[in-house]
Each structure stands twice: as structure tokens, then as C-alpha cells.
Amino acid sequence: MTTAVASPVSTLPRMVPGERCELAAIPALTPAAFRAAVVDAVNGGARISALFGRTLARPGQVGLVAVLAHDFEGVVALAASADVGESYESITADCPQAHWFEREIAEQWGVRPRGHPWLKPIRFHAPGPSGKNLFAAGTAAPAPSVTDFFRMAGEESHEVAVGPVHAGVIEPGHFRFQCHGEIVHHLEISLGYQHRGVERALVAGPPARGWHYAEALAGDTTIGHATAHCRVLEGLAGTAIPPRAEGWRALALELERLANHTGDLGALAGDVGYLPTASYCGRLRGDFLNLTARVCGSRFGRGM
């Protein structure tokens, strides 16, 4: 049962994306107040851009940080919690956006979100600094190397597995469809099959190949990830880029968005067997990719 707590959402520090904010400037809320602030912010129109754990001053202590994006205002609000101990009341029950974030927090930090509807591993990696592993063998949850997919049983029900290798430029992922005849009753997606150590390589500061790591995170978001990486470094350094460079970034991001959305519309048409639209969208996507190549030499914006 959720306990009513006064929300400090209106007092959370706000900043423009790309600005720098010292951790000490974010007040450490009690876990209950932190939860209330996140839920109230989302109910007020914000979205959870990031929700993660971090090490606090004392060894073994874990605090949570939330980045709450207010898209129409063009700002993000920041919330942080004090030590949550071994468990805290799950945010997901009142805010489904927190679902996957809390699963990753449990896997990385060994902290249990009480009342989470489906706590299971996402990234399949070793536990973080706490050393605790909620998904170790012998517990009710699956071991880190596998996941327990939802399954349907019954006559004429069947399961279709797709991936993790795809004939495209998206990240690896495994998909399980639970079907009865032509009707898909349930789809479960498991991401995180390919771990290249990118996050770990960026922790101690920007390495010489940091920009290239960002570009290679996902083939269809080369420009988006490279732009985000550059803005982080510019914010940390307190550097502003010229308006002409901002204009080029906007054009590059729009080309990437057009290519991806057009390709997705074609893929949706292909999934339902409507091949004329799938083919036509594929041709349009090619035009956007070729235009990107005319600008920077790469169809996917490498080096833009």
C-alpha cells in the first residue's frame, strides 16, 4: 500500500539539457519523498528520461537519481534520494515508465523495488559496487545468464522467437511472440545481448575514441548519440558552440529522424503484408540516407 507523502516536485532544480549541475546542488530526498516527486512530475506531464543508482558517501549506500524531462518547456528537473537501503517502495506501481529502469537498478545495485510487478534481469551482467545479486542461482528469480520468458499453454497456441541477430542496423534484441492462430496475445522484448564495454570506457572521462563509441552505439541513431555525447562534453566544459554549428546539428538530426521514421512506417506496412507501402517507404528512406551521405560521406551520418 502506498503511503501518502508530500511531494517536493515544485522545488526540484531545473536546467536546460546540456547544462552542468553539481550533484551537491540536488537535495537528497527521503526515498518516500523521492518516489512522490517522480510520480507527481510524471502525472503533471513530465517523462522519466533517466532513473539510475549511484554510490553515496559511505560504502554500501545506494541513492537514486531521476532526470525528469519537461518537453514542452525544454527543461529537465533533477531529483535525488538518500540511501534506499536494501529495498524501497517501487515507483512502477504508480508510474509504469519506471518499469525497466527499476529492473536495471535491481540488477546493477542489488536493491529491491518492493512491489515491482515483474522483477527480472535486463542486462545479464555482474552486480555493481554493492556486490549483491538479486538474481543469483537459488533465488526465486532467474540466473543472470537467462531470462524466464512468459509463455502460453494450450491447444493451437504457439511461440515465435525472433533475434537476437537482425538483418538491419538496430541493436541486438530477442523477441518472443505468444500466438494463438493469427492473434498475437503477448510480446516480450529482451534487450542487452551485445555488451561492448562502452559505458565502462566512458566513466573515467572522455577517451580518445569516446565520440566514435557514441556513434557506434546503435547504427540507426549515429547522429543522435554523437550529438548527445558532444553536448555532455560541452556542458561539462562550459563551452557554447556557434549558432552555425547548432544549425548543422539540427539539419543532421532531422535527416536521421526522417530516415528512421520513414523506414519504420515501411516496416509496419511490411509486418502486415502490405508490400507496396513497404517498398515505397524503403525508397524514400534511401533518398534521406543518400542525402546524408552527400553531406558527410556516410549514409548513417558517421563523422557528421
Side-chain angles (χ1 to χ4, degrees):
M1 181 176 179
T2 303
T3 303
V5 176
S7 170
V9 64
S10 61
T11 64
L12 298 179
R14 293 191 172 199
M15 56 186 286
V16 176
E19 283 186 336
R20 180 178 63 191
C21 179
E22 300 291 340
L23 284 173
I26 311 174
L29 307 173
T30 65
F34 174 84
R35 183 187 190 280
V38 173
V39 171
D40 285 358
V42 172
N43 288 339
R47 63 179 173 84
I48 300 178
S49 178
L51 175 61
F52 54 91
R54 69 183 179 102
T55 303
L56 297 180
R58 292 185 180 179
Q61 288 189 337
V62 177
L64 303 181
V65 177
V67 180
L68 305 162
H70 296 265
D71 293 324
F72 289 103
E73 301 173 44
V75 298
V76 295
L78 305 174
S81 82
D83 179 33
V84 296
E86 295 186 355
S87 67
Y88 65 95
E89 187 176 1
S90 173
I91 302 171
T92 302
D94 292 322
C95 180
Q97 288 184 30
H99 178 209
W100 278 34
F101 291 111
E102 290 194 315
R103 285 168 59 185
E104 188 170 32
I105 289 170
E107 188 175 8
Q108 287 183 330
W109 297 93
V111 174
R112 181 178 296 278
R114 300 187 305 273
H116 192 283
W118 203 359
L119 193 60
K120 56 195 298 188
I122 288 181
R123 300 300 183 194
F124 311 106
H125 53 54
S130 70
K132 294 179 289 185
N133 190 342
L134 297 181
F135 306 108
T139 66
S145 59
V146 299
T147 187
D148 183 20
F149 287 97
F150 175 84
R151 299 198 173 194
M152 283 176 51
E155 188 177 355
E156 296 185 359
S157 66
H158 60 283
E159 178 180 274
V160 179
V162 181
V165 179
H166 295 273
V169 295
I170 63 172
E171 296 178 75
H174 186 67
F175 305 83
R176 292 282 183 102
F177 296 84
Q178 306 298 327
C179 308
H180 183 270
E182 294 293 323
I183 300 175
V184 177
H185 287 275
H186 184 77
L187 163 63
E188 186 172 355
I189 302 174
S190 179
L191 303 176
Y193 274 80
Q194 192 175 53
H195 297 292
R196 294 159 289 175
V198 173
E199 188 175 32
R200 186 180 299 275
L202 297 174
V203 168
R209 294 186 56 80
W211 171 46
H212 301 288
Y213 290 155
E215 285 190 324
L217 283 173
D220 59 359
T221 321
T222 296
I223 297 169
H225 286 153
T227 300
H229 179 67
C230 290
R231 283 181 171 170
V232 167
L233 297 184
E234 290 155 8
L236 291 173
T239 301
I241 67 171
R244 178 179 172 84
E246 285 282 16
W248 272 108
R249 281 184 181 175
L251 289 171
L253 288 166
E254 185 64 6
L255 280 173
E256 185 171 76
R257 186 192 70 81
L258 287 167
N260 286 341
H261 284 189
T262 305
D264 287 343
L265 289 172
L268 288 171
D271 286 343
V272 298
Y274 193 58
L275 299 184
T277 295
S279 300
Y280 196 80
C281 286
R283 185 188 70 77
L284 289 176
R285 177 173 177 267
D287 290 340
F288 295 127
L289 295 177
N290 291 337
L291 182 55
T292 304
R294 287 281 298 274
V295 176
C296 71
S298 167
R299 299 177 83 231
F300 292 103
R302 291 287 180 93
M304 176 77 85

